mmCIF file of all heavy atoms in Angstrom:
data_model
loop_
_atom_site.group_PDB
_atom_site.id
_atom_site.type_symbol
_atom_site.label_atom_id
_atom_site.label_comp_id
_atom_site.label_asym_id
_atom_site.label_seq_id
_atom_site.Cartn_x
_atom_site.Cartn_y
_atom_site.Cartn_z
ATOM 1 N N THR P 195 7.535 -31.350 110.930
ATOM 2 C CA THR P 195 7.536 -30.045 110.280
ATOM 3 C C THR P 195 8.678 -30.033 109.259
ATOM 4 O O THR P 195 9.813 -30.410 109.576
ATOM 5 C CB THR P 195 7.657 -28.899 111.326
ATOM 6 O OG1 THR P 195 7.786 -27.665 110.635
ATOM 7 C CG2 THR P 195 8.835 -29.080 112.264
ATOM 8 N N THR P 197 11.050 -28.168 106.518
ATOM 9 C CA THR P 197 11.583 -26.864 106.159
ATOM 10 C C THR P 197 12.630 -27.048 105.071
ATOM 11 O O THR P 197 13.415 -27.997 105.112
ATOM 12 C CB THR P 197 12.240 -26.192 107.390
ATOM 13 O OG1 THR P 197 11.315 -26.249 108.476
ATOM 14 C CG2 THR P 197 12.586 -24.745 107.109
ATOM 15 N N ASN P 232 8.039 -46.128 111.487
ATOM 16 C CA ASN P 232 7.002 -45.806 112.478
ATOM 17 C C ASN P 232 5.662 -45.534 111.787
ATOM 18 O O ASN P 232 5.329 -44.400 111.457
ATOM 19 C CB ASN P 232 7.460 -44.594 113.292
ATOM 20 C CG ASN P 232 6.559 -44.317 114.487
ATOM 21 O OD1 ASN P 232 5.461 -44.874 114.590
ATOM 22 N ND2 ASN P 232 7.010 -43.462 115.383
ATOM 23 N N LYS P 243 -7.139 -34.602 116.508
ATOM 24 C CA LYS P 243 -6.648 -34.364 117.879
ATOM 25 C C LYS P 243 -5.122 -34.433 117.930
ATOM 26 O O LYS P 243 -4.477 -33.684 118.658
ATOM 27 C CB LYS P 243 -7.284 -35.365 118.843
ATOM 28 C CG LYS P 243 -8.750 -35.027 119.071
ATOM 29 C CD LYS P 243 -9.516 -36.156 119.701
ATOM 30 C CE LYS P 243 -10.995 -35.775 119.833
ATOM 31 N NZ LYS P 243 -11.823 -36.970 120.142
ATOM 32 N N ALA P 247 -2.608 -31.500 119.130
ATOM 33 C CA ALA P 247 -1.474 -31.701 120.047
ATOM 34 C C ALA P 247 -0.186 -31.151 119.434
ATOM 35 O O ALA P 247 0.663 -30.595 120.140
ATOM 36 C CB ALA P 247 -1.317 -33.185 120.379
ATOM 37 N N ASN P 256 7.102 -22.651 119.293
ATOM 38 C CA ASN P 256 7.937 -21.775 118.468
ATOM 39 C C ASN P 256 7.595 -20.302 118.711
ATOM 40 O O ASN P 256 8.475 -19.444 118.727
ATOM 41 C CB ASN P 256 7.762 -22.128 116.986
ATOM 42 C CG ASN P 256 8.644 -21.290 116.095
ATOM 43 O OD1 ASN P 256 9.864 -21.439 116.083
ATOM 44 N ND2 ASN P 256 8.033 -20.346 115.373
ATOM 45 N N SER P 262 10.730 -15.021 123.576
ATOM 46 C CA SER P 262 11.974 -15.083 124.345
ATOM 47 C C SER P 262 13.117 -14.407 123.593
ATOM 48 O O SER P 262 13.862 -13.593 124.155
ATOM 49 C CB SER P 262 12.301 -16.545 124.630
ATOM 50 O OG SER P 262 13.493 -16.650 125.364
ATOM 51 N N ASN P 269 17.455 -6.611 124.914
ATOM 52 C CA ASN P 269 18.373 -6.362 126.023
ATOM 53 C C ASN P 269 19.807 -6.766 125.698
ATOM 54 O O ASN P 269 20.624 -6.981 126.591
ATOM 55 C CB ASN P 269 17.856 -7.075 127.275
ATOM 56 C CG ASN P 269 16.552 -6.478 127.751
ATOM 57 O OD1 ASN P 269 16.538 -5.392 128.324
ATOM 58 N ND2 ASN P 269 15.440 -7.146 127.460
ATOM 59 N N ASP P 275 22.686 -17.861 123.486
ATOM 60 C CA ASP P 275 22.919 -18.205 124.885
ATOM 61 C C ASP P 275 21.737 -18.929 125.536
ATOM 62 O O ASP P 275 21.889 -19.523 126.596
ATOM 63 C CB ASP P 275 23.276 -16.946 125.692
ATOM 64 C CG ASP P 275 24.722 -16.543 125.484
ATOM 65 O OD1 ASP P 275 25.514 -17.396 125.038
ATOM 66 O OD2 ASP P 275 25.071 -15.381 125.756
ATOM 67 N N LYS P 286 14.960 -33.305 128.686
ATOM 68 C CA LYS P 286 14.333 -33.786 129.916
ATOM 69 C C LYS P 286 13.099 -34.651 129.639
ATOM 70 O O LYS P 286 12.758 -35.529 130.436
ATOM 71 C CB LYS P 286 13.950 -32.603 130.813
ATOM 72 C CG LYS P 286 15.119 -32.024 131.576
ATOM 73 C CD LYS P 286 14.820 -30.642 132.126
ATOM 74 C CE LYS P 286 14.039 -30.682 133.414
ATOM 75 N NZ LYS P 286 14.002 -29.338 134.079
ATOM 76 N N PRO P 292 6.421 -33.947 131.383
ATOM 77 C CA PRO P 292 6.466 -32.480 131.477
ATOM 78 C C PRO P 292 6.056 -31.990 132.867
ATOM 79 O O PRO P 292 6.618 -31.016 133.378
ATOM 80 C CB PRO P 292 5.464 -32.023 130.409
ATOM 81 C CG PRO P 292 5.426 -33.135 129.419
ATOM 82 C CD PRO P 292 5.627 -34.389 130.204
ATOM 83 N N GLN P 296 8.544 -29.707 135.238
ATOM 84 C CA GLN P 296 8.185 -28.286 135.329
ATOM 85 C C GLN P 296 8.969 -27.576 136.430
ATOM 86 O O GLN P 296 9.034 -28.045 137.559
ATOM 87 C CB GLN P 296 6.681 -28.147 135.594
ATOM 88 C CG GLN P 296 6.172 -26.705 135.498
ATOM 89 C CD GLN P 296 6.286 -26.164 134.083
ATOM 90 O OE1 GLN P 296 5.774 -26.731 133.140
ATOM 91 N NE2 GLN P 296 6.996 -25.058 133.917
ATOM 92 N N ASP P 320 -0.233 -7.763 125.368
ATOM 93 C CA ASP P 320 -0.281 -9.073 124.725
ATOM 94 C C ASP P 320 0.585 -10.086 125.494
ATOM 95 O O ASP P 320 0.128 -11.151 125.917
ATOM 96 C CB ASP P 320 0.240 -8.875 123.287
ATOM 97 C CG ASP P 320 0.133 -10.110 122.430
ATOM 98 O OD1 ASP P 320 -0.655 -11.004 122.777
ATOM 99 O OD2 ASP P 320 0.845 -10.165 121.397
ATOM 100 N N HIS P 331 -1.961 -21.459 134.461
ATOM 101 C CA HIS P 331 -2.107 -22.868 134.061
ATOM 102 C C HIS P 331 -1.106 -23.748 134.828
ATOM 103 O O HIS P 331 -1.458 -24.825 135.311
ATOM 104 C CB HIS P 331 -1.905 -23.014 132.555
ATOM 105 C CG HIS P 331 -1.909 -24.439 132.090
ATOM 106 N ND1 HIS P 331 -3.055 -25.178 131.949
ATOM 107 C CD2 HIS P 331 -0.899 -25.273 131.758
ATOM 108 C CE1 HIS P 331 -2.757 -26.396 131.556
ATOM 109 N NE2 HIS P 331 -1.448 -26.476 131.425
ATOM 110 N N THR J 358 18.627 -30.863 136.447
ATOM 111 C CA THR J 358 17.755 -31.939 136.919
ATOM 112 C C THR J 358 18.622 -33.085 137.397
ATOM 113 O O THR J 358 19.638 -33.401 136.788
ATOM 114 C CB THR J 358 16.848 -32.414 135.761
ATOM 115 O OG1 THR J 358 16.243 -31.277 135.160
ATOM 116 C CG2 THR J 358 15.771 -33.353 136.269
ATOM 117 N N ASN J 393 31.759 -20.042 128.301
ATOM 118 C CA ASN J 393 30.840 -18.972 127.922
ATOM 119 C C ASN J 393 30.530 -18.082 129.130
ATOM 120 O O ASN J 393 29.575 -18.290 129.859
ATOM 121 C CB ASN J 393 29.550 -19.606 127.360
ATOM 122 C CG ASN J 393 28.623 -18.582 126.735
ATOM 123 O OD1 ASN J 393 28.800 -17.369 126.915
ATOM 124 N ND2 ASN J 393 27.627 -19.059 126.014
ATOM 125 N N LYS J 404 15.791 -9.579 133.114
ATOM 126 C CA LYS J 404 15.163 -9.718 131.789
ATOM 127 C C LYS J 404 15.582 -11.026 131.119
ATOM 128 O O LYS J 404 14.805 -11.668 130.427
ATOM 129 C CB LYS J 404 15.510 -8.506 130.924
ATOM 130 C CG LYS J 404 14.750 -7.274 131.402
ATOM 131 C CD LYS J 404 15.272 -6.002 130.797
ATOM 132 C CE LYS J 404 14.541 -4.803 131.406
ATOM 133 N NZ LYS J 404 15.251 -3.537 131.115
ATOM 134 N N ALA J 408 13.156 -13.996 129.890
ATOM 135 C CA ALA J 408 13.255 -14.670 128.587
ATOM 136 C C ALA J 408 13.334 -16.188 128.764
ATOM 137 O O ALA J 408 12.773 -16.953 127.972
ATOM 138 C CB ALA J 408 14.476 -14.158 127.816
ATOM 139 N N ASN J 417 7.719 -25.852 128.384
ATOM 140 C CA ASN J 417 7.479 -27.150 129.023
ATOM 141 C C ASN J 417 5.992 -27.341 129.358
ATOM 142 O O ASN J 417 5.447 -28.435 129.231
ATOM 143 C CB ASN J 417 8.330 -27.272 130.287
ATOM 144 C CG ASN J 417 8.173 -28.625 130.940
ATOM 145 O OD1 ASN J 417 8.630 -29.640 130.428
ATOM 146 N ND2 ASN J 417 7.467 -28.657 132.072
ATOM 147 N N SER J 423 0.190 -30.733 125.339
ATOM 148 C CA SER J 423 0.249 -31.593 124.152
ATOM 149 C C SER J 423 0.228 -33.075 124.548
ATOM 150 O O SER J 423 -0.521 -33.876 123.989
ATOM 151 C CB SER J 423 1.511 -31.262 123.362
ATOM 152 O OG SER J 423 1.614 -32.061 122.221
ATOM 153 N N ASN J 430 -6.093 -39.475 123.866
ATOM 154 C CA ASN J 430 -6.526 -40.066 122.608
ATOM 155 C C ASN J 430 -5.685 -41.285 122.213
ATOM 156 O O ASN J 430 -5.649 -41.690 121.043
ATOM 157 C CB ASN J 430 -6.504 -38.996 121.507
ATOM 158 C CG ASN J 430 -7.548 -37.938 121.771
ATOM 159 O OD1 ASN J 430 -8.733 -38.161 121.569
ATOM 160 N ND2 ASN J 430 -7.116 -36.786 122.275
ATOM 161 N N ASP J 436 5.741 -40.256 119.883
ATOM 162 C CA ASP J 436 5.546 -39.941 118.466
ATOM 163 C C ASP J 436 5.627 -38.448 118.155
ATOM 164 O O ASP J 436 5.756 -38.061 117.005
ATOM 165 C CB ASP J 436 4.201 -40.508 117.978
ATOM 166 C CG ASP J 436 4.291 -42.004 117.702
ATOM 167 O OD1 ASP J 436 5.421 -42.500 117.539
ATOM 168 O OD2 ASP J 436 3.243 -42.668 117.659
ATOM 169 N N LYS J 447 15.369 -26.175 114.077
ATOM 170 C CA LYS J 447 15.153 -25.092 113.118
ATOM 171 C C LYS J 447 15.715 -23.755 113.605
ATOM 172 O O LYS J 447 16.097 -22.907 112.801
ATOM 173 C CB LYS J 447 13.658 -24.946 112.818
ATOM 174 C CG LYS J 447 13.145 -25.988 111.834
ATOM 175 C CD LYS J 447 11.633 -26.107 111.871
ATOM 176 C CE LYS J 447 10.952 -25.031 111.053
ATOM 177 N NZ LYS J 447 9.496 -25.327 110.878
ATOM 178 N N PRO J 453 12.725 -17.631 114.924
ATOM 179 C CA PRO J 453 11.400 -18.192 115.232
ATOM 180 C C PRO J 453 10.313 -17.623 114.310
ATOM 181 O O PRO J 453 9.398 -18.339 113.920
ATOM 182 C CB PRO J 453 11.174 -17.764 116.685
ATOM 183 C CG PRO J 453 12.536 -17.605 117.257
ATOM 184 C CD PRO J 453 13.390 -17.100 116.132
ATOM 185 N N GLN J 457 7.982 -20.018 111.898
ATOM 186 C CA GLN J 457 6.597 -20.212 112.356
ATOM 187 C C GLN J 457 5.732 -20.871 111.276
ATOM 188 O O GLN J 457 5.729 -20.434 110.136
ATOM 189 C CB GLN J 457 5.992 -18.860 112.765
ATOM 190 C CG GLN J 457 4.638 -18.974 113.446
ATOM 191 C CD GLN J 457 4.734 -19.675 114.796
ATOM 192 O OE1 GLN J 457 5.487 -19.278 115.655
ATOM 193 N NE2 GLN J 457 3.972 -20.752 114.962
ATOM 194 N N ASP J 481 -9.674 -23.297 130.126
ATOM 195 C CA ASP J 481 -8.282 -22.936 130.345
ATOM 196 C C ASP J 481 -7.470 -23.104 129.044
ATOM 197 O O ASP J 481 -6.805 -22.179 128.557
ATOM 198 C CB ASP J 481 -7.757 -23.879 131.448
ATOM 199 C CG ASP J 481 -6.358 -23.552 131.908
ATOM 200 O OD1 ASP J 481 -5.905 -22.433 131.654
ATOM 201 O OD2 ASP J 481 -5.725 -24.438 132.526
ATOM 202 N N HIS J 492 -1.639 -14.063 119.042
ATOM 203 C CA HIS J 492 -0.271 -13.516 119.047
ATOM 204 C C HIS J 492 0.455 -13.856 117.739
ATOM 205 O O HIS J 492 1.131 -12.998 117.150
ATOM 206 C CB HIS J 492 0.516 -14.064 120.242
ATOM 207 C CG HIS J 492 1.948 -13.641 120.252
ATOM 208 N ND1 HIS J 492 2.365 -12.393 120.610
ATOM 209 C CD2 HIS J 492 3.079 -14.324 119.908
ATOM 210 C CE1 HIS J 492 3.670 -12.308 120.489
ATOM 211 N NE2 HIS J 492 4.134 -13.473 120.079
#
Side-chain angles (χ1 to χ4, degrees):
Chain P
T195 174
T197 310
N232 189 347
K243 288 165 183 166
N256 182 70
S262 180
N269 294 285
D275 281 341
K286 281 163 81 168
Q296 189 66 56
D320 186 20
H331 175 77
Chain J
T358 310
N393 189 347
K404 287 167 185 165
N417 183 70
S423 180
N430 293 285
D436 281 341
K447 281 163 81 169
Q457 189 66 55
D481 186 18
H492 175 76

